């Protein structure tokens, strides 16, 4: 009987011995879990899947590890404690195998078991971290999308006149998301003039001028007159490179205050204000 088959058959005993070993480790976190049923359930679940991986069904084990990583992201347990748990478990299983195997077990079997154990635990840890990373990135993307959504809320400053202040670093992805959100906002409200203030915006890509041009053209197609304020020298260079030196149907002012004054005069002259 191989060492692995022996451990599989004695799985419940392994779990029991592991729990005794685990709570004996001098660590404040482990002390809090001494009487926690989660520890036993989690250990059994992890061991089940590690044994699956050792029996050449690594894909199933890796899938479990990734999902465990994602789950730990949203629990109080935390990824650092899980990794600590896994490192101790590998050490324990090797020591346990050395203790319970009979004297007839040769060193070649122990060596092969050790290599398999290390490979399986390395794969498990890698996929655990990968799942945690995926969950982290997804949450960060959700937060970023919410920030973009909140930052593209139009501010009403007069009848049919709205302000869209843009701030922060403008990447190509963010520019595209802002365009989509802003166009949705303009279609949902009676907007004739949209003042786009660029004074707080920093550009990351020199290709963003294409998105700016697309944004302005899209606004004009839905009957909105774009008014640009606070343009920085770097933004002006990008717009020139995008053949937007004198864009038709777009008014440009140095400051927001100058734009609103000019707009008020224009509307007063036409008796619309």
């Amino acid at each position: 009987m191989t060492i692995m088959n022996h451990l599989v058959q004695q799985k419940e005993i392994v779990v029991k011995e592991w729990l005794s070993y685990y709570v004996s480790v001098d660590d404040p976190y482990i002390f809090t879990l001494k009487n926690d049923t989660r520890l036993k359930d989690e250990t059994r679940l992890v061991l089940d899947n590690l044994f699956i991986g050792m029996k050449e069904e690594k894909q199933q084990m890796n899938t479990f590890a990734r999902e465990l990583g994602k789950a730990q992201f949203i629990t109080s347990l935390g990824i650092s404690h899980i990794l600590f748990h896994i490192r101790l478990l590998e050490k324990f299983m090797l020591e346990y195998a050395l203790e319970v195997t009979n004297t007839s077990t040769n060193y070649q079997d122990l060596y092969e078991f050790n290599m398999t154990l290390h490979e399986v635990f390395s794969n498990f840890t890698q996929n655990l971290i990968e799942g945690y990373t995926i969950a982290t990135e997804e949450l960060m993307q959700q937060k970023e999308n919410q920030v973009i959504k909140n930052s593209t809320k139009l501010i009403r400053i007069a009848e049919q006149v709205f302000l869209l202040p843009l701030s922060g670093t403008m990447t190509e992805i963010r520019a595209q998301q802002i365009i989509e959100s802003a166009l949705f906002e303009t279609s949902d409200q009676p907007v004739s003039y949209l003042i786009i203030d660029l004074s707080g915006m920093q550009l990351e890509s020199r290709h963003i001028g294409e998105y700016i041009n697309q944004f302005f053209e899209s606004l004009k197609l839905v009957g909105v007159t774009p008014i640009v304020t606070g343009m920085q020298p770097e933004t002006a260079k990008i717009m020139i490179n995008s053949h937007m030196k004198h864009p038709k149907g777009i008014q440009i002012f140095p400051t927001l205050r100058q734009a609103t004054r000019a707009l008020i005069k224009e509307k007063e002259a036409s008796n619309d204000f």
Side-chain angles (χ1 to χ4, degrees), residues 162-191:
F162 287 78
L163 169 66
L164 175 60
L166 298 179
S167 60
T169 302
M170 190 66 62
T171 63
E172 292 184 35
I173 295 177
R174 188 181 178 212
Q176 190 171 9
Q177 292 173 323
I178 285 176
I179 290 170
E180 293 175 358
S181 296
L183 287 174
F184 176 80
E185 285 282 313
T186 56
S187 65
D188 198 42
Q189 303 187 62
V191 183

PDB file of all heavy atoms in Angstrom, residues 162-191:
ATOM      1  N   PHE A 162     -26.179  72.066 -18.415  1.00  0.00           N
ATOM      2  CA  PHE A 162     -25.624  71.150 -17.421  1.00  0.00           C
ATOM      3  C   PHE A 162     -24.093  71.197 -17.472  1.00  0.00           C
ATOM      4  O   PHE A 162     -23.492  71.537 -18.486  1.00  0.00           O
ATOM      5  CB  PHE A 162     -26.098  69.717 -17.680  1.00  0.00           C
ATOM      6  CG  PHE A 162     -27.550  69.493 -17.323  1.00  0.00           C
ATOM      7  CD1 PHE A 162     -28.563  69.927 -18.166  1.00  0.00           C
ATOM      8  CD2 PHE A 162     -27.896  68.846 -16.143  1.00  0.00           C
ATOM      9  CE1 PHE A 162     -29.901  69.725 -17.850  1.00  0.00           C
ATOM     10  CE2 PHE A 162     -29.228  68.639 -15.818  1.00  0.00           C
ATOM     11  CZ  PHE A 162     -30.240  69.077 -16.671  1.00  0.00           C
ATOM     12  N   LEU A 163     -23.503  70.831 -16.334  1.00  0.00           N
ATOM     13  CA  LEU A 163     -22.052  70.819 -16.199  1.00  0.00           C
ATOM     14  C   LEU A 163     -21.564  69.394 -15.962  1.00  0.00           C
ATOM     15  O   LEU A 163     -22.149  68.642 -15.190  1.00  0.00           O
ATOM     16  CB  LEU A 163     -21.633  71.702 -15.013  1.00  0.00           C
ATOM     17  CG  LEU A 163     -20.164  71.609 -14.563  1.00  0.00           C
ATOM     18  CD1 LEU A 163     -19.235  72.140 -15.654  1.00  0.00           C
ATOM     19  CD2 LEU A 163     -19.961  72.357 -13.246  1.00  0.00           C
ATOM     20  N   LEU A 164     -20.465  69.032 -16.653  1.00  0.00           N
ATOM     21  CA  LEU A 164     -19.813  67.741 -16.451  1.00  0.00           C
ATOM     22  C   LEU A 164     -18.345  67.995 -16.094  1.00  0.00           C
ATOM     23  O   LEU A 164     -17.508  68.181 -16.978  1.00  0.00           O
ATOM     24  CB  LEU A 164     -19.898  66.869 -17.714  1.00  0.00           C
ATOM     25  CG  LEU A 164     -19.143  65.531 -17.658  1.00  0.00           C
ATOM     26  CD1 LEU A 164     -19.663  64.648 -16.532  1.00  0.00           C
ATOM     27  CD2 LEU A 164     -19.245  64.798 -18.989  1.00  0.00           C
ATOM     28  N   PRO A 165     -18.015  68.054 -14.798  1.00  0.00           N
ATOM     29  CA  PRO A 165     -16.616  68.266 -14.410  1.00  0.00           C
ATOM     30  C   PRO A 165     -15.850  66.939 -14.451  1.00  0.00           C
ATOM     31  O   PRO A 165     -16.267  65.958 -13.836  1.00  0.00           O
ATOM     32  CB  PRO A 165     -16.726  68.800 -12.984  1.00  0.00           C
ATOM     33  CG  PRO A 165     -18.004  68.230 -12.464  1.00  0.00           C
ATOM     34  CD  PRO A 165     -18.924  68.010 -13.642  1.00  0.00           C
ATOM     35  N   LEU A 166     -14.735  66.904 -15.152  1.00  0.00           N
ATOM     36  CA  LEU A 166     -13.917  65.701 -15.251  1.00  0.00           C
ATOM     37  C   LEU A 166     -12.639  65.909 -14.453  1.00  0.00           C
ATOM     38  O   LEU A 166     -11.965  66.928 -14.606  1.00  0.00           O
ATOM     39  CB  LEU A 166     -13.579  65.391 -16.711  1.00  0.00           C
ATOM     40  CG  LEU A 166     -14.776  65.103 -17.620  1.00  0.00           C
ATOM     41  CD1 LEU A 166     -14.303  64.823 -19.043  1.00  0.00           C
ATOM     42  CD2 LEU A 166     -15.592  63.921 -17.094  1.00  0.00           C
ATOM     43  N   SER A 167     -12.295  64.939 -13.629  1.00  0.00           N
ATOM     44  CA  SER A 167     -11.094  65.067 -12.801  1.00  0.00           C
ATOM     45  C   SER A 167     -10.396  63.723 -12.698  1.00  0.00           C
ATOM     46  O   SER A 167     -10.981  62.671 -12.973  1.00  0.00           O
ATOM     47  CB  SER A 167     -11.455  65.579 -11.401  1.00  0.00           C
ATOM     48  OG  SER A 167     -12.341  64.677 -10.767  1.00  0.00           O
ATOM     49  N   GLY A 168      -9.143  63.760 -12.276  1.00  0.00           N
ATOM     50  CA  GLY A 168      -8.364  62.538 -12.119  1.00  0.00           C
ATOM     51  C   GLY A 168      -7.667  62.136 -13.405  1.00  0.00           C
ATOM     52  O   GLY A 168      -7.724  62.826 -14.421  1.00  0.00           O
ATOM     53  N   THR A 169      -7.026  60.984 -13.348  1.00  0.00           N
ATOM     54  CA  THR A 169      -6.284  60.477 -14.504  1.00  0.00           C
ATOM     55  C   THR A 169      -7.237  59.863 -15.505  1.00  0.00           C
ATOM     56  O   THR A 169      -8.069  59.027 -15.158  1.00  0.00           O
ATOM     57  CB  THR A 169      -5.255  59.420 -14.065  1.00  0.00           C
ATOM     58  OG1 THR A 169      -4.366  60.009 -13.111  1.00  0.00           O
ATOM     59  CG2 THR A 169      -4.455  58.927 -15.254  1.00  0.00           C
ATOM     60  N   MET A 170      -7.104  60.284 -16.752  1.00  0.00           N
ATOM     61  CA  MET A 170      -7.997  59.814 -17.805  1.00  0.00           C
ATOM     62  C   MET A 170      -7.275  58.791 -18.672  1.00  0.00           C
ATOM     63  O   MET A 170      -6.396  59.121 -19.458  1.00  0.00           O
ATOM     64  CB  MET A 170      -8.472  60.996 -18.656  1.00  0.00           C
ATOM     65  CG  MET A 170      -9.588  60.638 -19.626  1.00  0.00           C
ATOM     66  SD  MET A 170     -11.120  60.178 -18.795  1.00  0.00           S
ATOM     67  CE  MET A 170     -11.494  61.695 -17.925  1.00  0.00           C
ATOM     68  N   THR A 171      -7.639  57.524 -18.494  1.00  0.00           N
ATOM     69  CA  THR A 171      -7.120  56.462 -19.351  1.00  0.00           C
ATOM     70  C   THR A 171      -8.093  56.246 -20.503  1.00  0.00           C
ATOM     71  O   THR A 171      -9.213  56.775 -20.487  1.00  0.00           O
ATOM     72  CB  THR A 171      -6.975  55.154 -18.569  1.00  0.00           C
ATOM     73  OG1 THR A 171      -8.289  54.730 -18.122  1.00  0.00           O
ATOM     74  CG2 THR A 171      -6.074  55.336 -17.351  1.00  0.00           C
ATOM     75  N   GLU A 172      -7.689  55.463 -21.475  1.00  0.00           N
ATOM     76  CA  GLU A 172      -8.571  55.191 -22.612  1.00  0.00           C
ATOM     77  C   GLU A 172      -9.830  54.461 -22.165  1.00  0.00           C
ATOM     78  O   GLU A 172     -10.934  54.764 -22.629  1.00  0.00           O
ATOM     79  CB  GLU A 172      -7.817  54.373 -23.668  1.00  0.00           C
ATOM     80  CG  GLU A 172      -6.699  55.148 -24.349  1.00  0.00           C
ATOM     81  CD  GLU A 172      -6.041  54.357 -25.452  1.00  0.00           C
ATOM     82  OE1 GLU A 172      -6.744  53.583 -26.130  1.00  0.00           O
ATOM     83  OE2 GLU A 172      -4.828  54.497 -25.645  1.00  0.00           O
ATOM     84  N   ILE A 173      -9.657  53.500 -21.256  1.00  0.00           N
ATOM     85  CA  ILE A 173     -10.815  52.739 -20.767  1.00  0.00           C
ATOM     86  C   ILE A 173     -11.772  53.647 -20.019  1.00  0.00           C
ATOM     87  O   ILE A 173     -12.988  53.609 -20.225  1.00  0.00           O
ATOM     88  CB  ILE A 173     -10.351  51.578 -19.864  1.00  0.00           C
ATOM     89  CG1 ILE A 173      -9.553  50.562 -20.670  1.00  0.00           C
ATOM     90  CG2 ILE A 173     -11.545  50.917 -19.187  1.00  0.00           C
ATOM     91  CD1 ILE A 173      -8.991  49.428 -19.851  1.00  0.00           C
ATOM     92  N   ARG A 174     -11.227  54.504 -19.138  1.00  0.00           N
ATOM     93  CA  ARG A 174     -12.077  55.402 -18.371  1.00  0.00           C
ATOM     94  C   ARG A 174     -12.766  56.401 -19.291  1.00  0.00           C
ATOM     95  O   ARG A 174     -13.931  56.745 -19.103  1.00  0.00           O
ATOM     96  CB  ARG A 174     -11.248  56.144 -17.322  1.00  0.00           C
ATOM     97  CG  ARG A 174     -12.135  56.945 -16.377  1.00  0.00           C
ATOM     98  CD  ARG A 174     -11.362  57.706 -15.350  1.00  0.00           C
ATOM     99  NE  ARG A 174     -12.277  58.480 -14.510  1.00  0.00           N
ATOM    100  CZ  ARG A 174     -11.989  59.632 -13.957  1.00  0.00           C
ATOM    101  NH1 ARG A 174     -10.792  60.158 -14.125  1.00  0.00           N
ATOM    102  NH2 ARG A 174     -12.866  60.272 -13.221  1.00  0.00           N
ATOM    103  N   ALA A 175     -12.047  56.883 -20.312  1.00  0.00           N
ATOM    104  CA  ALA A 175     -12.638  57.835 -21.261  1.00  0.00           C
ATOM    105  C   ALA A 175     -13.842  57.214 -21.960  1.00  0.00           C
ATOM    106  O   ALA A 175     -14.889  57.846 -22.115  1.00  0.00           O
ATOM    107  CB  ALA A 175     -11.591  58.269 -22.284  1.00  0.00           C
ATOM    108  N   GLN A 176     -13.699  55.972 -22.359  1.00  0.00           N
ATOM    109  CA  GLN A 176     -14.798  55.293 -23.044  1.00  0.00           C
ATOM    110  C   GLN A 176     -15.991  55.103 -22.109  1.00  0.00           C
ATOM    111  O   GLN A 176     -17.146  55.298 -22.499  1.00  0.00           O
ATOM    112  CB  GLN A 176     -14.313  53.939 -23.559  1.00  0.00           C
ATOM    113  CG  GLN A 176     -15.298  53.247 -24.496  1.00  0.00           C
ATOM    114  CD  GLN A 176     -14.704  52.026 -25.151  1.00  0.00           C
ATOM    115  OE1 GLN A 176     -13.603  51.593 -24.794  1.00  0.00           O
ATOM    116  NE2 GLN A 176     -15.404  51.459 -26.106  1.00  0.00           N
ATOM    117  N   GLN A 177     -15.712  54.747 -20.855  1.00  0.00           N
ATOM    118  CA  GLN A 177     -16.794  54.553 -19.893  1.00  0.00           C
ATOM    119  C   GLN A 177     -17.507  55.869 -19.588  1.00  0.00           C
ATOM    120  O   GLN A 177     -18.737  55.907 -19.456  1.00  0.00           O
ATOM    121  CB  GLN A 177     -16.231  53.937 -18.607  1.00  0.00           C
ATOM    122  CG  GLN A 177     -15.749  52.509 -18.777  1.00  0.00           C
ATOM    123  CD  GLN A 177     -15.050  51.980 -17.548  1.00  0.00           C
ATOM    124  OE1 GLN A 177     -14.337  52.710 -16.871  1.00  0.00           O
ATOM    125  NE2 GLN A 177     -15.230  50.696 -17.256  1.00  0.00           N
ATOM    126  N   ILE A 178     -16.738  56.948 -19.481  1.00  0.00           N
ATOM    127  CA  ILE A 178     -17.336  58.257 -19.203  1.00  0.00           C
ATOM    128  C   ILE A 178     -18.223  58.694 -20.356  1.00  0.00           C
ATOM    129  O   ILE A 178     -19.313  59.241 -20.153  1.00  0.00           O
ATOM    130  CB  ILE A 178     -16.229  59.294 -18.936  1.00  0.00           C
ATOM    131  CG1 ILE A 178     -15.648  59.067 -17.539  1.00  0.00           C
ATOM    132  CG2 ILE A 178     -16.766  60.721 -19.051  1.00  0.00           C
ATOM    133  CD1 ILE A 178     -14.492  59.967 -17.197  1.00  0.00           C
ATOM    134  N   ILE A 179     -17.760  58.463 -21.568  1.00  0.00           N
ATOM    135  CA  ILE A 179     -18.559  58.828 -22.745  1.00  0.00           C
ATOM    136  C   ILE A 179     -19.903  58.118 -22.719  1.00  0.00           C
ATOM    137  O   ILE A 179     -20.966  58.732 -22.907  1.00  0.00           O
ATOM    138  CB  ILE A 179     -17.790  58.491 -24.037  1.00  0.00           C
ATOM    139  CG1 ILE A 179     -16.608  59.437 -24.209  1.00  0.00           C
ATOM    140  CG2 ILE A 179     -18.717  58.563 -25.255  1.00  0.00           C
ATOM    141  CD1 ILE A 179     -15.666  59.030 -25.316  1.00  0.00           C
ATOM    142  N   GLU A 180     -19.868  56.814 -22.453  1.00  0.00           N
ATOM    143  CA  GLU A 180     -21.110  56.037 -22.435  1.00  0.00           C
ATOM    144  C   GLU A 180     -22.052  56.527 -21.331  1.00  0.00           C
ATOM    145  O   GLU A 180     -23.261  56.685 -21.557  1.00  0.00           O
ATOM    146  CB  GLU A 180     -20.780  54.556 -22.241  1.00  0.00           C
ATOM    147  CG  GLU A 180     -20.034  53.937 -23.424  1.00  0.00           C
ATOM    148  CD  GLU A 180     -19.609  52.507 -23.155  1.00  0.00           C
ATOM    149  OE1 GLU A 180     -19.859  52.013 -22.029  1.00  0.00           O
ATOM    150  OE2 GLU A 180     -19.034  51.881 -24.054  1.00  0.00           O
ATOM    151  N   SER A 181     -21.498  56.777 -20.141  1.00  0.00           N
ATOM    152  CA  SER A 181     -22.327  57.231 -19.023  1.00  0.00           C
ATOM    153  C   SER A 181     -22.895  58.622 -19.274  1.00  0.00           C
ATOM    154  O   SER A 181     -24.070  58.892 -19.000  1.00  0.00           O
ATOM    155  CB  SER A 181     -21.510  57.235 -17.729  1.00  0.00           C
ATOM    156  OG  SER A 181     -21.111  55.932 -17.389  1.00  0.00           O
ATOM    157  N   ALA A 182     -22.052  59.513 -19.795  1.00  0.00           N
ATOM    158  CA  ALA A 182     -22.488  60.889 -20.030  1.00  0.00           C
ATOM    159  C   ALA A 182     -23.558  60.952 -21.113  1.00  0.00           C
ATOM    160  O   ALA A 182     -24.529  61.715 -21.002  1.00  0.00           O
ATOM    161  CB  ALA A 182     -21.294  61.755 -20.425  1.00  0.00           C
ATOM    162  N   LEU A 183     -23.408  60.166 -22.163  1.00  0.00           N
ATOM    163  CA  LEU A 183     -24.419  60.146 -23.221  1.00  0.00           C
ATOM    164  C   LEU A 183     -25.745  59.616 -22.683  1.00  0.00           C
ATOM    165  O   LEU A 183     -26.813  60.103 -23.073  1.00  0.00           O
ATOM    166  CB  LEU A 183     -23.935  59.294 -24.402  1.00  0.00           C
ATOM    167  CG  LEU A 183     -22.837  59.917 -25.258  1.00  0.00           C
ATOM    168  CD1 LEU A 183     -22.344  58.921 -26.301  1.00  0.00           C
ATOM    169  CD2 LEU A 183     -23.334  61.191 -25.939  1.00  0.00           C
ATOM    170  N   PHE A 184     -25.664  58.633 -21.807  1.00  0.00           N
ATOM    171  CA  PHE A 184     -26.886  58.114 -21.192  1.00  0.00           C
ATOM    172  C   PHE A 184     -27.550  59.191 -20.346  1.00  0.00           C
ATOM    173  O   PHE A 184     -28.776  59.349 -20.367  1.00  0.00           O
ATOM    174  CB  PHE A 184     -26.558  56.888 -20.333  1.00  0.00           C
ATOM    175  CG  PHE A 184     -27.749  56.343 -19.587  1.00  0.00           C
ATOM    176  CD1 PHE A 184     -28.671  55.538 -20.228  1.00  0.00           C
ATOM    177  CD2 PHE A 184     -27.940  56.647 -18.245  1.00  0.00           C
ATOM    178  CE1 PHE A 184     -29.779  55.043 -19.542  1.00  0.00           C
ATOM    179  CE2 PHE A 184     -29.037  56.162 -17.556  1.00  0.00           C
ATOM    180  CZ  PHE A 184     -29.955  55.358 -18.206  1.00  0.00           C
ATOM    181  N   GLU A 185     -26.744  59.947 -19.597  1.00  0.00           N
ATOM    182  CA  GLU A 185     -27.265  61.019 -18.759  1.00  0.00           C
ATOM    183  C   GLU A 185     -27.945  62.102 -19.593  1.00  0.00           C
ATOM    184  O   GLU A 185     -29.012  62.604 -19.237  1.00  0.00           O
ATOM    185  CB  GLU A 185     -26.126  61.641 -17.941  1.00  0.00           C
ATOM    186  CG  GLU A 185     -25.653  60.788 -16.782  1.00  0.00           C
ATOM    187  CD  GLU A 185     -26.574  60.861 -15.585  1.00  0.00           C
ATOM    188  OE1 GLU A 185     -26.966  61.977 -15.201  1.00  0.00           O
ATOM    189  OE2 GLU A 185     -26.917  59.800 -15.050  1.00  0.00           O
ATOM    190  N   THR A 186     -27.319  62.475 -20.718  1.00  0.00           N
ATOM    191  CA  THR A 186     -27.898  63.534 -21.559  1.00  0.00           C
ATOM    192  C   THR A 186     -29.212  63.092 -22.202  1.00  0.00           C
ATOM    193  O   THR A 186     -30.103  63.910 -22.443  1.00  0.00           O
ATOM    194  CB  THR A 186     -26.916  63.961 -22.663  1.00  0.00           C
ATOM    195  OG1 THR A 186     -26.529  62.810 -23.428  1.00  0.00           O
ATOM    196  CG2 THR A 186     -25.686  64.615 -22.071  1.00  0.00           C
ATOM    197  N   SER A 187     -29.319  61.802 -22.488  1.00  0.00           N
ATOM    198  CA  SER A 187     -30.557  61.303 -23.096  1.00  0.00           C
ATOM    199  C   SER A 187     -31.679  61.199 -22.080  1.00  0.00           C
ATOM    200  O   SER A 187     -32.853  61.128 -22.437  1.00  0.00           O
ATOM    201  CB  SER A 187     -30.316  59.929 -23.739  1.00  0.00           C
ATOM    202  OG  SER A 187     -30.002  58.958 -22.752  1.00  0.00           O
ATOM    203  N   ASP A 188     -31.304  61.200 -20.795  1.00  0.00           N
ATOM    204  CA  ASP A 188     -32.288  61.042 -19.731  1.00  0.00           C
ATOM    205  C   ASP A 188     -32.772  62.375 -19.173  1.00  0.00           C
ATOM    206  O   ASP A 188     -33.678  62.406 -18.354  1.00  0.00           O
ATOM    207  CB  ASP A 188     -31.663  60.208 -18.598  1.00  0.00           C
ATOM    208  CG  ASP A 188     -32.713  59.618 -17.676  1.00  0.00           C
ATOM    209  OD1 ASP A 188     -33.746  59.144 -18.176  1.00  0.00           O
ATOM    210  OD2 ASP A 188     -32.494  59.644 -16.444  1.00  0.00           O
ATOM    211  N   GLN A 189     -32.148  63.493 -19.633  1.00  0.00           N
ATOM    212  CA  GLN A 189     -32.510  64.810 -19.140  1.00  0.00           C
ATOM    213  C   GLN A 189     -32.590  65.810 -20.296  1.00  0.00           C
ATOM    214  O   GLN A 189     -31.976  65.603 -21.341  1.00  0.00           O
ATOM    215  CB  GLN A 189     -31.468  65.297 -18.115  1.00  0.00           C
ATOM    216  CG  GLN A 189     -31.291  64.360 -16.936  1.00  0.00           C
ATOM    217  CD  GLN A 189     -30.391  64.943 -15.873  1.00  0.00           C
ATOM    218  OE1 GLN A 189     -30.698  65.971 -15.291  1.00  0.00           O
ATOM    219  NE2 GLN A 189     -29.275  64.283 -15.613  1.00  0.00           N
ATOM    220  N   PRO A 190     -33.345  66.896 -20.113  1.00  0.00           N
ATOM    221  CA  PRO A 190     -33.462  67.910 -21.177  1.00  0.00           C
ATOM    222  C   PRO A 190     -32.203  68.772 -21.251  1.00  0.00           C
ATOM    223  O   PRO A 190     -32.113  69.818 -20.601  1.00  0.00           O
ATOM    224  CB  PRO A 190     -34.683  68.719 -20.752  1.00  0.00           C
ATOM    225  CG  PRO A 190     -34.712  68.595 -19.267  1.00  0.00           C
ATOM    226  CD  PRO A 190     -34.194  67.233 -18.953  1.00  0.00           C
ATOM    227  N   VAL A 191     -31.218  68.338 -22.009  1.00  0.00           N
ATOM    228  CA  VAL A 191     -29.943  69.043 -22.097  1.00  0.00           C
ATOM    229  C   VAL A 191     -29.774  69.666 -23.480  1.00  0.00           C
ATOM    230  O   VAL A 191     -29.848  68.976 -24.490  1.00  0.00           O
ATOM    231  CB  VAL A 191     -28.758  68.085 -21.824  1.00  0.00           C
ATOM    232  CG1 VAL A 191     -27.436  68.849 -21.846  1.00  0.00           C
ATOM    233  CG2 VAL A 191     -28.947  67.362 -20.507  1.00  0.00           C
TER     234      VAL A 191
END
